[in-house]
Amino acid sequence: MRIRKKRSLLNQAAGGDGLRRVVRKAYGVFRREGLAGIKTRIAWLRAGAPGTVDPRRYGEWVRCFDQIDDATRAVIRERVANFENPPRISVVMPVYNPNPQWLAQAIESIRAQLYPHWELCIADDVSTDPAIRPLLDRHASADARIKVAFREKNGHISAASNTALGLATGAWVALFDHDDVLPEHALYCVADAIQRNPEIRMIYSDEDKIDESGKRREPYFKCDWNPDLFLSQNMFSHLGVFQKDLLDEVGGFREGYEGSQDYDLALRCAERAGGGAIHHIPRVLYHWRVHAESTASGTDAKPYAVVAGERALNDHLDRTGIRGTAEFELNGYRVRYALPDPAPLVSLIIPTRNEPELVRECIKSIVDKTTYRNFEIIVVDSGSGDPATLGSIASLEHDEVVRVLRDDRPFNFSAWCNSAIEASNGDIVGLIDNGIEVITPGWLSEMVSIALQPGVGAVGAKVLYPNDTVQHAGFALGLLGMAGRVHHHLPRGSFGYFGRASLRCTVSAVSAACMIVRKSVYRDTAGLNEKDTSMAFSDVDFCIRVREAGYRNVWTPYAELYHHESATRRDDSDLAMQARFDKEVQYMRTRWGSLLRDDPFYSPNLTFDEENFGLAWPPRVGALV
């Protein structure tokens, strides 16, 4: 997206006040992050969103893994015939002046469903195209399951959706746009999920896009429910299905949120249902039509949707008692959580060995650049032997915020950190590699504000190599056989896979190169595992245990730091160290084997062989029937 287009987006969204709004946002970035922050935003705009799949390769993947044959159709029909109390699914479709050809294709895709227990509830919002009414009448006459209401006054999409919702008699409601297409097995997959999971109240699927000629492209293979990503983008939409009782409880669609009315609805429903009642089907069950007026072509198509999304998110924060504000930034939304006053003391733990200049630069970077000021730094000198080094490290204690702890035990990264944390004074603790250099001054404010949110465990940063490519943006369990680094080596300004390199999200694990966590959470989960993960997988093992304890781990792109590699970590040339490493690998596979095959925050349709969000050949999704 060019800057000119972004300015146009915000200008329209703000209704003539857009230029002032752009200036205010730019000035806010400058105050928080300086000129480097402005340059980063420009780079993001220019970088676009790599990570989308080549259409030809996706076409081949579809032919291999996303086709339904006659034998499968027969098994599906037999299975449906044996359902006890098969749920009726009401497909709700507001209509206003669509391309008649695409409208007909949308309706026919519902009529072609292998699952027969549906009704299509259509509300025409006073379309001015004379071809629309006869087309709808014709289809309603051909199939009694199609209901049509013709509104007398145009009310926009929320009012029309509520009119369509008023026709629904099913126990479940699926949202459907008037120019999109469902594959023939879509409603069967929904009904099957309901049969298998009677506790669920909301269902969403993967999706792709279909162009004006009907060619499929840009599949979005989503992860399971991801509350932090959901506050950054409407990952629920397409195909989104709700329990009808839940929609009644929240009052349906709200007028005044047009363009993001489905996001607002999903936010209110998710608040009431809870994350445990939200189910993801890892299959492409929705083909989103791309054309000039569709939001599938980008936010420029419907700029008012951006402002409506901000309003919906800020309403959500108010309803849930979360202190913060939401704003649209570049390719998604960012919630800025408010810090308490006074801000809590943060203890930053920096293990080091024989690298005085590296740790000095690390400390100088933190002290000079960090806007969050209530912190202490604890340097763990883990066996430095050089007299010059010892003198240099001892001199660090002259800084009032720095303490040095001597720990001469053999190499054990986990033990060094645990002992330092026990000696710390802060309610928040941070593990910092001695090669870290601060980029964004607000990094610690960002991470602490997230760590203080209810239910949050460890918080990770966007850690970059000095060449401005990604080193750490969260781990995916199972990637590269153990735990791989998502978006590894991606250019700093790139959005990544459907924005996930530039949006806050829940992940299975974050790197201890820069990790912030409440001390109470650290103690609840017994800290780093000194016995089994003394060197290589301490952060991943810790984060898995944090998840087991009921917390979620969060990665944020708004805390950026460089990582200059250090020698504090293990030396792979040392045979004894290699043996310890191999032992840790075995521990991880034995202890976490099942989790290393099924990361809920990484799609089974994506590869485990590379760190680039490529397609899985074959996917790890179970058989359709």
Side-chain angles (χ1 to χ4, degrees):
M1 185 191 299
R2 293 184 180 272
I3 297 174
R4 174 175 53 80
K5 292 178 71 179
K6 177 63 178 172
R7 179 182 298 171
S8 172
L9 164 62
L10 288 175
N11 190 57
Q12 295 175 62
D17 227 8
L19 184 57
R20 283 193 294 272
R21 182 175 180 181
V22 170
V23 172
R24 285 198 303 270
K25 289 172 76 74
Y27 180 64
V29 170
F30 179 77
R31 285 189 62 187
R32 293 188 303 270
E33 303 174 24
L35 186 59
I38 297 293
K39 290 179 178 178
T40 297
R41 298 309 194 276
I42 293 172
W44 284 353
L45 288 169
R46 289 175 174 166
T52 54
V53 177
D54 179 86
R56 290 169 296 181
R57 185 163 176 79
Y58 180 50
E60 182 62 26
W61 188 93
V62 168
R63 285 190 289 275
C64 292
F65 308 118
D66 197 29
Q67 296 292 305
I68 305 294
D69 58 20
D70 287 341
T72 302
R73 291 185 185 96
V75 174
I76 288 174
R77 291 188 176 103
E78 181 180 0
R79 173 162 169 73
V80 170
N82 291 322
F83 278 175
E84 292 186 12
N85 301 315
R88 178 181 295 175
I89 301 172
S90 300
V91 181
V92 166
M93 184 171 72
V95 169
Y96 180 73
N97 283 341
N99 179 315
Q101 179 182 353
W102 297 341
L103 175 60
Q105 289 177 11
I107 295 172
E108 288 300 334
S109 76
I110 302 299
R111 296 187 66 188
Q113 290 297 302
L114 296 171
Y115 184 76
H117 306 292
W118 56 263
E119 61 181 6
L120 178 57
C121 304
I122 302 172
D124 178 73
D125 199 23
V126 197
S127 293
T128 58
D129 184 340
I132 301 302
R133 183 163 190 143
L135 187 155
L136 294 176
D137 282 336
R138 186 164 60 252
H139 279 283
S141 298
D143 195 320
R145 294 172 294 180
I146 299 177
K147 305 175 180 181
V148 183
F150 293 97
R151 291 173 51 84
E152 296 182 357
K153 180 181 179 181
N154 179 270
H156 212 324
I157 191 167
S158 295
S161 296
N162 279 332
T163 298
L165 190 58
L167 301 174
T169 62
W172 290 82
V173 172
L175 305 187
F176 188 46
D177 289 345
H178 60 197
D179 47 9
D180 297 338
V181 176
L182 296 190
E184 61 184 312
H185 56 290
L187 297 186
Y188 160 72
C189 290
V190 170
D192 183 60
I194 295 167
Q195 291 284 304
R196 296 176 186 271
N197 304 275
E199 302 303 316
I200 60 178
R201 306 193 74 186
M202 298 170 65
I203 301 169
Y204 67 100
S205 76
D206 297 346
E207 62 188 77
D208 63 11
K209 292 175 181 151
I210 185 170
D211 63 22
E212 298 184 14
S213 66
K215 187 174 182 179
R216 291 172 58 182
R217 69 188 201 202
E218 297 179 44
Y220 185 6
F221 293 120
K222 304 173 187 176
C223 60
D224 287 349
W225 185 241
N226 191 316
D228 296 282
L229 183 60
F230 181 54
L231 297 186
S232 301
Q233 63 174 215
N234 184 9
M235 60 173 288
F236 183 85
S237 184
H238 300 334
L239 174 66
V241 185
F242 301 83
Q243 189 183 59
K244 177 61 163 55
D245 287 347
L246 181 61
L247 295 183
D248 292 340
E249 290 170 19
V250 303
F253 295 90
R254 291 199 296 176
E255 295 185 37
Y257 294 80
E258 285 75 14
S260 287
Q261 74 287 337
D262 52 349
Y263 198 7
D264 175 64
L265 181 69
L267 283 162
R268 290 181 288 122
C269 286
E271 291 166 21
R272 186 171 290 261
I278 304 173
H279 180 74
H280 169 226
I281 301 174
R283 300 183 187 277
V284 176
L285 302 184
Y286 199 100
H287 307 311
W288 193 7
R289 181 85 64 178
V290 181
H291 56 85
E293 290 76 37
S294 169
T295 52
S297 62
T299 53
D300 281 6
K302 291 185 179 180
Y304 60 88
V306 169
V307 177
E310 287 182 349
R311 289 185 58 210
L313 282 165
N314 282 302
D315 287 353
H316 163 75
L317 298 178
D318 288 341
R319 286 191 302 267
T320 54
I322 296 173
R323 294 177 59 241
T325 57
E327 283 186 295
F328 183 81
E329 291 199 357
L330 300 175
N331 72 318
Y333 297 95
R334 177 182 180 181
V335 175
R336 297 180 187 276
Y337 297 110
L339 285 166
D341 186 14
L345 176 66
V346 181
S347 299
L348 302 176
I349 312 300
I350 307 178
T352 192
R353 171 186 285 174
N354 289 331
E355 296 172 302
E357 292 308 315
L358 196 64
V359 75
R360 276 185 176 279
E361 288 303 313
C362 174
I363 292 172
K364 185 177 188 306
S365 170
I366 293 171
V367 172
D368 290 351
K369 296 181 181 179
T370 303
T371 54
Y372 188 105
R373 300 312 300 171
N374 193 20
F375 62 82
E376 65 172 358
I377 296 174
I378 301 177
V379 177
V380 183
D381 177 23
S382 51
S384 296
D386 176 57
T389 299
L390 294 174
S392 179
I393 289 177
S395 70
L396 294 172
E397 292 190 284
H398 293 301
D399 191 315
E400 61 183 14
V401 300
V402 180
R403 282 193 286 151
V404 177
L405 299 181
R406 182 80 177 182
D407 193 329
D408 292 330
R409 287 178 290 180
F411 188 103
N412 191 319
F413 176 79
S414 297
W416 297 337
C417 291
N418 287 344
S419 62
I421 286 174
E422 284 306 308
S424 68
N425 298 313
D427 292 327
I428 308 288
V429 295
L431 304 183
I432 307 293
D433 193 274
N434 64 356
I436 285 296
E437 175 189 350
V438 172
I439 300 175
T440 51
W443 71 280
L444 191 53
S445 297
E446 164 73 5
M447 297 180 76
V448 171
S449 71
I450 299 169
L452 291 173
Q453 298 308 306
V456 170
V459 180
K462 186 174 187 176
V463 180
L464 302 165
Y465 291 111
N467 68 352
D468 275 325
T469 61
V470 172
Q471 182 184 36
H472 290 294
F475 291 102
L477 305 182
L479 194 57
L480 303 183
M482 181 66 67
R485 293 175 280 187
V486 297
H487 292 123
H488 193 208
H489 294 303
L490 190 75
R492 175 185 176 187
S494 296
F495 290 160
Y497 185 74
F498 284 86
R500 288 186 59 174
S502 58
L503 299 174
R504 191 184 292 146
C505 54
T506 311
V507 293
S508 283
V510 296
S511 170
C514 182
M515 176 194 293
I516 300 294
V517 62
R518 280 176 283 155
K519 186 185 287 184
S520 60
V521 174
Y522 195 89
R523 286 172 168 167
D524 284 349
T525 50
L528 300 186
N529 184 341
E530 301 178 15
K531 176 178 180 292
D532 301 302
T533 60
S534 62
M535 61 168 73
F537 300 106
S538 55
D539 44 13
V540 176
D541 175 75
F542 171 71
C543 286
I544 295 174
R545 287 185 284 111
V546 167
R547 272 185 52 202
E548 277 198 327
Y551 302 98
R552 69 182 192 275
N553 301 309
V554 182
W555 176 81
T556 176
Y558 309 116
E560 292 185 303
L561 307 101
Y562 285 126
H563 188 197
H564 305 278
E565 296 288 355
S566 74
T568 302
R569 300 288 181 171
R570 65 188 181 88
D571 179 2
D572 288 329
S573 65
D574 187 308
L575 293 179
M577 295 290 266
Q578 183 61 46
R580 287 175 64 185
F581 174 76
D582 293 340
K583 185 177 180 180
E584 291 191 16
V585 169
Q586 185 58 45
Y587 160 77
M588 291 292 290
R589 288 177 175 164
T590 301
R591 179 69 177 86
W592 306 116
S594 60
L595 290 178
L596 297 180
R597 294 187 294 271
D598 185 22
D599 188 326
F601 307 114
Y602 185 81
S603 171
N605 291 302
L606 297 174
T607 182
F608 268 167
D609 299 328
E610 299 175 281
E611 297 169 312
N612 62 358
F613 287 87
L615 297 172
W617 294 75
R620 298 177 300 282
V621 182
L624 183 60
V625 291

